[in-house]
Amino acid sequence: MMTTEEPDTAPGKSGRRGRASSRPDPGGGTAPDVGVLVTIRSLLPNLAPVERRVAQAVLDDPAGVAWRSISELARSCGTSATSVVRFCRAIGLRGYPELRLALAGAVAHDDAASVVAASSDIDPDDDPVTITKKIAYADAAAVTETASRLDVGALVKVVDALAVANRIDIYGVGASGLVAVDLQIKLQRIARPAYAWPDPHLAATSAALRDKGDVAVGLSHTGTTVDTIDALTEARAHGATTVAITNFPWSPITEVADFVLLTAARETAFRSGATTSRIAQLTVVDCLFVTLAQRDLPRTMDALERTFAAAQAKRVRRARHPKSLSRTGAADSPGSAQPLTPPARLARLICRCEAMNSSTTGSETITTAAASSVNCDSLEP
């Protein structure tokens, strides 16, 4: 992730106040290679109109463009070869030959069924089986591509800030507000002072009280949500470290963030449902949570055990006795398994606490991707 120093700006303009920008480099920087199609989708809203036509043609038929000459692509887009070259450079490539090679590699990476699923929206005549397949592919792609796109160096720096933060504010509205609440629940379960503010007015007043040593996290898929940008700007003006979680590296929210964590969601015509964008944001949230939880295992495990015990009283009692979080007693029985290692105990606690989180989020079940990748049954005492 590249960092540049911006000149001082007047208060109320951008809220940068001469601080370093973490606006990510679309050409790669220190981030891993995430694929040309992911890059094009993320930069699409910020391209010039002519370049956007070329980008859409590439996204609509990546395999076909890989075999076309530059003049054929320019003619089909109603533009010139020079504009195609400008588009290539805008997405971080040296020219059209490099674009063709990148597209050929992207197409070869996916099988034919995946390419069709990725490039097609939900059609009016799709049956439930087809809809299910398309949604499953889009959600799985959002997780894997977000993980590939995530700048681990930036992630570690954000975790460093969260670990010593006096207070953590989380801003987001709409579907991003649900993700903000999910992050608050996770952080509070490990004794971190986190507060989510889905209401724009409450977010603004809380941001005005932030100070040096605090961290403010803003979630916006498009990066253009005014309420979230305003809250992040206000918190930054008072000295808080700011973090943006967004899908688009050139979006306005990145201009008021010290650190940017990028998602890779493929939204469809059903954008109002915020389907894949929510899944992608939750992936970043899970990475932040688990990395932070691992920093201080004794403190984390103590907090998870205490909150788990407190929440257990709110659940319907089962016919059998619930299993203890501790290995004490079980190890004394003949033929019992060896005590779990601290990382395995942490994974087991996250699995159990995740089950209770789903009953406390209120509107829907939100599952931690990191925890769901663990076989919780194999971690039972």
Side-chain angles (χ1 to χ4, degrees):
M1 178 170 293
M2 298 180 65
T3 301
T4 58
E5 189 70 26
E6 297 247 344
D8 289 340
T9 57
K13 288 288 185 180
S14 68
R16 303 182 71 90
R17 304 173 74 90
R19 290 169 61 175
S21 167
S22 64
R23 206 170 205 182
D25 177 11
T30 59
D33 180 15
V34 297
V36 66
L37 297 179
V38 174
T39 301
I40 294 172
R41 276 192 294 270
S42 68
L43 299 180
L44 189 62
N46 301 96
L47 296 175
V50 173
E51 295 169 355
R52 199 175 303 144
R53 289 205 302 270
V54 178
Q56 196 59 57
V58 171
L59 293 175
D60 289 343
D61 186 15
V65 172
W67 290 97
R68 293 185 198 174
S69 66
I70 188 171
S71 58
E72 290 173 333
L73 178 60
R75 187 163 51 252
S76 66
C77 296
T79 186
S80 64
T82 303
S83 296
V84 175
V85 173
R86 279 201 300 268
F87 160 75
C88 295
R89 291 175 179 170
I91 63 173
L93 302 178
R94 289 187 292 270
Y96 189 66
E98 189 173 353
L99 173 64
R100 293 181 63 185
L101 287 174
L103 290 175
V107 172
H109 182 268
D110 290 334
D111 56 34
S114 296
V115 172
V116 171
S119 60
S120 60
D121 202 345
I122 304 297
D123 298 322
D125 56 349
D126 281 346
D127 56 46
V129 174
T130 302
I131 292 173
T132 301
K133 288 181 178 178
K134 289 183 176 181
I135 291 175
Y137 175 81
D139 286 355
V143 173
T144 56
E145 291 179 359
T146 295
S148 297
R149 189 184 196 192
L150 195 59
D151 187 336
V152 177
L155 177 75
V156 171
K157 291 178 181 178
V158 172
V159 170
D160 289 341
L162 293 175
V164 297
N166 298 324
R167 176 181 168 124
I168 303 165
D169 264 14
I170 311 164
Y171 313 127
V173 297
S176 293
L178 296 175
V179 180
V181 172
D182 183 70
L183 178 56
Q184 171 196 298
I185 292 172
K186 287 178 167 63
L187 293 179
Q188 288 189 342
R189 292 300 292 268
I190 57 174
R192 303 291 175 175
Y195 303 88
W197 303 102
D199 183 279
H201 289 191
L202 295 178
T205 54
S206 179
L209 299 176
R210 299 288 55 81
D211 204 347
K212 187 175 181 181
D214 296 336
V215 175
V217 181
L219 296 109
S220 172
H221 171 71
T222 63
T224 60
T225 306
V226 174
D227 294 328
T228 304
I229 295 172
D230 287 348
L232 213 59
T233 301
E234 183 70 21
R236 195 175 199 237
H238 293 283
T241 299
T242 53
V243 181
I245 300 176
T246 183
N247 204 73
F248 301 100
W250 288 353
S251 57
I253 197 171
T254 64
E255 298 180 359
V256 295
D258 296 312
F259 302 104
V260 178
L261 300 176
L262 294 174
T263 59
R266 308 180 183 190
E267 284 295 5
T268 67
F270 291 87
R271 176 66 189 93
S272 59
T275 51
T276 58
S277 62
R278 187 188 72 248
I279 299 296
Q281 288 177 345
L282 285 170
T283 301
V284 176
V285 163
D286 293 347
C287 292
L288 284 173
F289 166 65
V290 177
T291 306
L292 178 60
Q294 191 188 42
R295 284 292 178 89
D296 188 350
L297 279 178
R299 174 184 176 180
T300 293
M301 294 169 67
D302 176 67
L304 287 175
E305 288 188 354
R306 289 167 60 184
T307 54
F308 179 83
Q312 270 293 90
K314 304 299 182 182
R315 299 175 71 86
V316 176
R317 295 196 177 275
R318 301 176 180 177
R320 60 183 178 84
H321 294 294
K323 296 179 180 178
S324 172
L325 287 173
S326 171
R327 295 294 296 181
T328 58
D332 298 333
S333 60
S336 61
Q338 293 297 319
L340 294 175
T341 62
R345 288 186 67 203
L346 173 61
R348 186 186 71 201
L349 286 169
I350 291 175
C351 286
R352 289 185 170 186
C353 292
E354 231 2 87
M356 285 185 294
N357 279 355
S358 66
S359 65
T360 57
T361 52
S363 58
E364 61 178 302
T365 298
I366 301 178
T367 304
T368 303
S372 63
S373 65
V374 179
N375 184 355
C376 295
D377 293 335
S378 67
L379 300 174
E380 290 293 329

